[in-house]
C-alpha cells in the first residue's frame, strides 16, 4: 500500500533540505514546522497550508540540524560552519551563537525542561565519541559526556526524566547518560 503526502511544498528551499522539527504551540500561536537546508537558511512554516512565516539566516555553510525548545519560543540550528545558533521564534532574532569546533554538528535536542541543549555530530558529539552539553539560560558550555569511541549519530532525551540522555554511535553502542554529568551505568 502506498500513501501520498497530505501537503507538499516544491522548492521550499534553494538547496537540499536536511532537517526538520515541530515547534510546539504557545499561548499566542499554533505549532510551526522548522526546516534547515544546505542553502544556509532555517525556515518556519505554518503546517495547515505549508505557508512560510519566516526565514533565519546567518550560517555560513549548510544547516544540518534543527531543534525546538519545549516552550515553543526558541529554536536552535546547527551548521557545517561549526556554530549553533539559538533564536527567538516570534521575533526571529538570534539570541546567542555557540561555537562547536572543530567540525559539524549532526543532531541536537533540548531536554524536556528546556534547560539543557545536547549536541552531537562530527565534533561536538564527535569522532572521539563525546557529546557537548550547553546551559540554555546562560548560553554556556557545561561539559562533555563521554563513553563512545566513534562518532555519535543520534541522541534523545527521556520524556520521563529530563536528565537522562540516550546516545547512539558508529561504535555500535547505545549509552544512557545523566546529562548533568553522571553516567547511569
Amino acid at each position: 500500500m502506498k500513501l501520498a503526502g497530505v501537503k507538499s511544498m516544491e522548492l521550499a528551499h534553494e538547496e537540499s533540505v536536511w532537517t526538520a522539527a515541530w515547534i510546539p504551540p504557545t499561548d499566542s500561536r499554533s505549532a510551526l514546522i522548522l526546516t534547515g537546508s544546505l542553502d544556509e537558511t532555517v525556515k518556519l512554516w505554518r503546517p495547515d497550508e505549508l505557508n512560510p512565516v519566516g526565514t533565519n539566516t546567518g550560517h555560513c555553510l549548510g544547516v544540518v540540524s534543527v531543534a525546538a525548545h519545549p516552550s515553543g519560543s526558541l529554536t536552535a540550528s546547527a551548521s557545517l560552519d561549526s556554530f549553533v545558533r539559538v533564536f527567538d521564534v516570534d521575533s526571529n532574532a538570534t539570541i546567542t551563537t555557540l561555537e562547536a569546533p572543530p567540525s559539524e554538528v549532526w543532531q541536537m535536542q533540548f531536554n524536556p525542561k528546556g534547560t539543557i541543549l545536547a549536541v552531537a555530530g562530527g565534533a561536538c558529539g564527535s569522532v572521539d565519541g563525546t557529546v557537548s552539553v550547553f546551559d540554555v539560560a546562560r548560553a554556556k558550555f557545561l561539559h562533555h559526556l563521554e563513553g563512545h569511541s566513534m562518532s555519535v549519530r543520534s541522541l534523545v532525551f527521556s520524556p520521563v526524566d529530563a536528565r537522562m540522555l540516550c546516545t547512539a554511535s558508529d561504535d555500535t553502542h547505545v549509552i544512557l547518560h545523566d546529562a548533568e554529568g553522571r553516567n547511569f551505568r
Side-chain angles (χ1 to χ4, degrees), residues 64-80:
V64 296
S65 183
V66 293
H69 191 273
S71 70
S73 62
L74 300 174
T75 62
S77 60
S79 168
L80 295 170

Side-chain angles (χ1 to χ4, degrees), residues 8-185:
S8 175
M9 173 58 69
E10 291 185 23
L11 303 173
H13 283 267
E14 292 178 15
E15 293 187 37
S16 299
V17 182
W18 274 22
T19 184
W22 282 96
I23 301 172
T26 64
D27 292 338
S28 60
R29 69 159 165 71
S30 61
L32 298 171
I33 297 173
L34 180 68
T35 59
S37 168
L38 291 184
D39 67 8
E40 303 172 3
T41 65
V42 176
K43 293 189 177 183
L44 299 163
W45 305 87
R46 210 172 271 118
D48 53 357
E49 294 297 325
L50 279 181
N51 293 328
V53 294
T55 300
N56 191 282
T57 60
H59 285 294
C60 296
L61 294 172
V63 177
V64 296
S65 183
V66 293
H69 191 273
S71 70
S73 62
L74 300 174
T75 62
S77 60
S79 168
L80 295 170
D81 64 7
S82 300
F83 288 95
V84 174
R85 299 180 72 232
V86 178
F87 64 96
D88 181 272
V89 173
D90 296 322
S91 71
N92 205 30
T94 297
I95 294 171
T96 191
T97 302
L98 307 168
E99 189 170 3
S103 157
E104 68 274 359
V105 172
W106 286 108
Q107 189 179 25
M108 61 189 166
Q109 187 178 33
F110 290 96
N111 71 347
K113 291 181 182 177
T115 57
I116 293 175
L117 176 65
V119 180
C124 270
S126 82
V127 180
D128 67 2
T130 61
V131 172
S132 294
V133 178
F134 294 90
D135 178 300
V136 174
R138 296 183 300 165
K140 179 181 174 187
F141 170 78
L142 294 175
H143 54 264
H144 286 107
L145 299 174
E146 299 177 344
H148 289 290
S149 61
M150 296 176 74
S151 296
V152 176
R153 299 293 180 181
S154 185
L155 52 79
V156 63
F157 278 98
S158 164
V160 177
D161 183 345
R163 297 175 323 161
M164 190 179 296
L165 177 70
C166 177
T167 58
S169 169
D170 285 349
D171 65 9
T172 72
H173 294 81
V174 173
I175 298 176
L176 290 177
H177 299 274
D178 182 327
E180 294 175 358
R182 299 179 311 272
N183 281 340
F184 281 108
R185 296 181 188 181

